[in-house]
Amino acid sequence: MNFASDNAAAIAPPILAAIARANAGFALGYGNDDLTKTVERRLCELFEREVAVFLVATGTAANALAIAHLTLPWGAVLCHADSHIATDEAGAPEFFGGGLKLIDLPGEAGKLAPATIAAAIAGGRGAPHAVLPSVLSLTQATEAGTVYSNDAVRELSALAHRHGLAVHMDGARFGNALVHLGCTAAEATWKAGVDVLSFGATKAGALAAEAVVFFDPKRADGMASRRKRGGHLLSKHRFLAAQFDAYLHDDLWLALARHANAAAADLARRLDVAGLTPFWPVEANEVFVALPPDVDDRLKAAGAKYYLWPAEALPASYVLKAGHRPVRLVTSFATATEDIERFAALVSGA
Ligand SMILES: Cc1ncc(COP(=O)(O)O)c(C=O)c1O
């Protein structure tokens, strides 16, 4: 019963097999191998346009290098207060961005609203005294397990672009979002105004592979050096590419995400029946509930794994009962129905 994170899951077997297949003979390093070229082509097909692609090994590197590339060091990045870049990257965007500033903003259910962004843009004192809002970073699916609609992304992107900001999307769980939206990868990104995507594969079943995708290749000038300087140009690059190749082959990534999302929906339904209603809509692969202390203790004693969630991050309207513990439950491509059933049974006291 491991609901700690999607990275607690193993490597999806077809991806591990692809790494093993790539482990034969010789191939040029640093992305000059055939597999890398294949993945670059595949990503152009997937996004229905020419894109510039930079594979890296972590989501933090993808976000930090992408964001650093989109702004001057005196730029500001507007992001949600609970976003991974603001809370979990140890200042990597600021470091790689030469001291850029993150401006973290509130928003219900992990999402930013147009009025909040407009106010943040209008609120600055302007150059040369204040940092200049330069990037809007949206997380899709959000850290609250919700998903922006394409219309919402379009509205936020249009607002950002009107004020000269570039739009970055942290897609560590992009597959989960896309499965929920039921649209094409192009519709969920550049057609809605996204300029650069951190396209995650690790959480969805890869060993360690993320792609920074620039929808305007011209905008990627210099990014190859930035990635190298950032220590993320892998010399044995073919093994990064092998992961992405398998991930995209026959839409494996969507099948993996569908399983994870269905597992979260199943878990949420069972918890709801047991009287624990998730405090945000379950739209991807994360479920947030407040556990009564005896239930939390019972689950922990039975070996269930999950993380507590800060009470400050709960919806403003949510009344947390005394002693109840908010938790985050994450499902993955590997979540088994039996584990969901057992967890729900323990919640019900069975
Ligand atoms: C929304 C989001 N973005 C990015 C990341 C990148 O993570 P890492 O650097 O651990 O690969 C994570 C991982 O937890 C995440 O949840």
Side-chain angles (χ1 to χ4, degrees), residues 190-281:
W190 63 272
K191 287 188 177 175
V194 174
D195 297 304
V196 179
L197 170 71
S198 299
F199 184 5
T202 310
K203 288 180 181 301
L207 163 62
E210 315 279 316
V212 181
V213 180
F214 285 77
F215 296 109
D216 174 4
K218 284 198 291 298
R219 199 166 207 151
D221 282 355
M223 181 67 182
S225 302
R226 188 181 297 281
R227 176 179 57 168
K228 174 68 184 177
R229 188 183 164 101
H232 267 268
L233 175 58
L234 267 67
S235 66
K236 291 195 176 176
H237 196 277
R238 66 171 134 161
F239 297 105
L240 269 187
Q243 295 176 63
F244 250 97
D245 191 38
Y247 188 53
L248 299 175
H249 185 70
D250 275 348
D251 287 342
L252 173 69
W253 66 297
L254 296 176
L256 297 173
R258 247 177 234 120
H259 179 100
N261 285 15
D266 186 21
L267 178 61
R269 200 169 40 245
R270 289 170 194 267
L271 292 178
D272 207 13
V273 169
L276 297 179
T277 306
F279 42 77
W280 288 308

Side-chain angles (χ1 to χ4, degrees), residues 5-7 57-63 82-85 88-89 139-143 170-173 198 202-203 208-210 286 328:
S5 175
D6 24 19
N7 59 20
T58 70
T60 298
N63 286 340
D82 298 333
S83 64
H84 199 265
I85 60 170
D88 277 306
E89 297 189 356
T139 311
Q140 183 74 314
T142 73
E143 282 79 4
D170 175 353
R173 297 189 178 88
S198 299
T202 310
K203 288 180 181 301
E210 315 279 316
E286 295 174 288
R328 182 189 75 163

Side-chain angles (χ1 to χ4, degrees), residues 30-42:
Y30 303 111
N32 295 310
D33 59 285
D34 292 343
L35 259 181
T36 298
K37 305 286 169 240
T38 302
V39 167
E40 287 168 356
R41 260 198 324 276
R42 268 183 199 281

Side-chain angles (χ1 to χ4, degrees), residues 49-77:
R49 65 180 292 157
E50 278 305 303
V51 294
V53 175
F54 300 86
L55 301 186
V56 296
T58 70
T60 298
N63 286 340
L65 295 172
I67 286 170
H69 204 68
L70 292 174
T71 173
L72 293 164
W74 47 90
V77 179

